[in-house]
Amino acid sequence: MPNRGELGNPMRRPSTVALAVSDDAWPIVCFCTVGSLMTLYMAISSVGIDAVPRLMAQLPWG
């Protein structure tokens, strides 16, 4: 009978953990890209196309 916190049958950890993490990153990258493009579209449509240089000056590029 196992003690508390122990498994009845010991299991090996999968060695492909790094591959699973890299596959899960693409939906997050796509979601963030779509969100940033939608934000830019809404900002440009609300101030007009003439104000795009002033809008780009306000973005935190790095």
Side-chain angles (χ1 to χ4, degrees):
M1 193 142 184
N3 294 328
R4 290 183 186 175
E6 292 182 350
L7 296 174
N9 294 327
M11 298 177 62
R12 290 181 53 140
R13 293 185 182 202
S15 61
T16 59
V17 173
L19 291 176
V21 172
S22 66
D23 291 341
D24 292 339
W26 283 112
I28 296 169
V29 169
C30 292
F31 182 77
C32 291
T33 303
V34 169
S36 62
L37 290 175
M38 287 175 57
T39 302
L40 283 174
Y41 174 76
M42 292 300 293
I44 290 171
S45 65
S46 67
V47 297
I49 197 72
D50 297 333
V52 171
R54 287 185 282 148
L55 181 66
M56 291 297 172
Q58 293 178 359
L59 290 175
W61 292 110

